[in-house]
Amino acid sequence: MSAPNASPAAPRGGLVVIALLLVYVVWGSTFLGIRLALEAGMQPLSMVSGSRFVVAGSVLYAILRWRGVPAPSKAQWRNMLVMGLCLLFLGNGMVVLAQRDVSSGLAAVAVASVPLWMALFTLIRGHRVSGREWLGIAIGFAGIVWLNAGSSLTASPLALGLLLLAPLGWAFGSIWSRGRDLPSPFMTAAGQMLCGGVLLMLVGFASGERWNTPPPVSGLLAVSYLCVFGSIIAFTAYVWLLHNVRPVLAGSYAYVNPVIAVALGASLAGERFSRSEFGAMAVILAGVVVITLAQRSKR
């Protein structure tokens, strides 16, 4: 897979950095976007999650087909349906449902467990996780716990169950997808957004969600942000990472996203940082650095 010529490595390394930054920063801001959409009265499954992925997937799919990218085969659609079920229906939809009545601290801790589950599923598939990768995972998770030590971690049993299911589904789908018959990374992102979005909307409508009144402008703006930046841009970058880097590095976003969420809370909602929070965020970033260095050494 690697070539002796070093010239292609630089642009690919640059693309990896850009993709990681998009996933780190943009997905860190989606916690605020989801909260604003829910506060505006948007239905969680059909509107906040489902409609966003259907629109984003449709736009991306149309652009790719217009540019001449071949349509996925039946086998590829089946694989993308499984990915849409795991990553979007379970991974995203359950977090949105849980955010109706859980603290942001608890949601952040739940999402931060994704790299741990990804490492476990990687082991189950017979691939080795290096000692330095385990060290980075442990450091990052310790930082997440420290960051949220002062948060209110109370939630209903149902919400706690949803927050356990969400990272499991996301991690399993991410590892399951490696080596499967899939189209290009961008077409894969479009296809699974379509599949996952349709599933979310169907389940939302079946559970009684209805669009009886026109949604408020604030809700539409929040969902539009989630659609364009959270889905088309950041989710596509994540799928590309799954095709090009080790799963643990791709999953390291879970350690950085809460840092971004806290920073946005301070700048937009008037929340204040403490020394403890600064220290926790430094530990989180240290964990990401350890994972990144382990990735580079394995290459």
Side-chain angles (χ1 to χ4, degrees), residues 185-201:
F186 297 123
M187 182 59 81
T188 297
Q192 65 181 296
M193 281 194 286
L194 282 170
C195 294
V198 169
L199 284 173
L200 284 160
M201 293 189 74

Side-chain angles (χ1 to χ4, degrees), residues 21-111:
L21 286 175
L22 286 172
V23 175
Y24 286 171
V25 176
V26 174
W27 273 355
S29 67
T30 55
F31 285 100
L32 178 60
I34 290 171
R35 191 189 77 182
L36 293 175
L38 292 173
E39 289 178 350
M42 308 290 277
Q43 299 290 345
L45 291 182
S46 59
M47 300 179 77
V48 179
S49 287
S51 63
R52 136 195 188 192
F53 288 122
V54 169
V55 172
S58 299
V59 170
L60 185 56
Y61 185 86
I63 292 174
L64 293 172
R65 294 292 289 133
W66 175 69
R67 292 179 59 88
V69 178
S73 65
K74 289 184 178 179
Q76 290 172 336
W77 275 114
R78 285 195 295 269
N79 289 336
M80 290 187 295
L81 176 61
V82 175
M83 294 177 69
L85 171 65
C86 294
L87 274 74
L88 301 183
F89 179 78
L90 295 177
N92 179 268
M94 301 306 103
V95 169
V96 173
L97 283 177
Q99 276 196 248
R100 294 177 300 177
D101 63 349
V102 303
S103 67
S104 59
L106 182 55
V109 170
V111 172

Side-chain angles (χ1 to χ4, degrees), residues 159-184:
L160 289 173
L162 293 174
L163 288 179
L164 174 62
L165 183 60
L168 277 169
W170 188 279
F172 177 82
S174 298
I175 300 302
W176 181 91
S177 68
R178 297 179 70 85
R180 301 288 173 178
D181 179 17
L182 293 167
S184 68

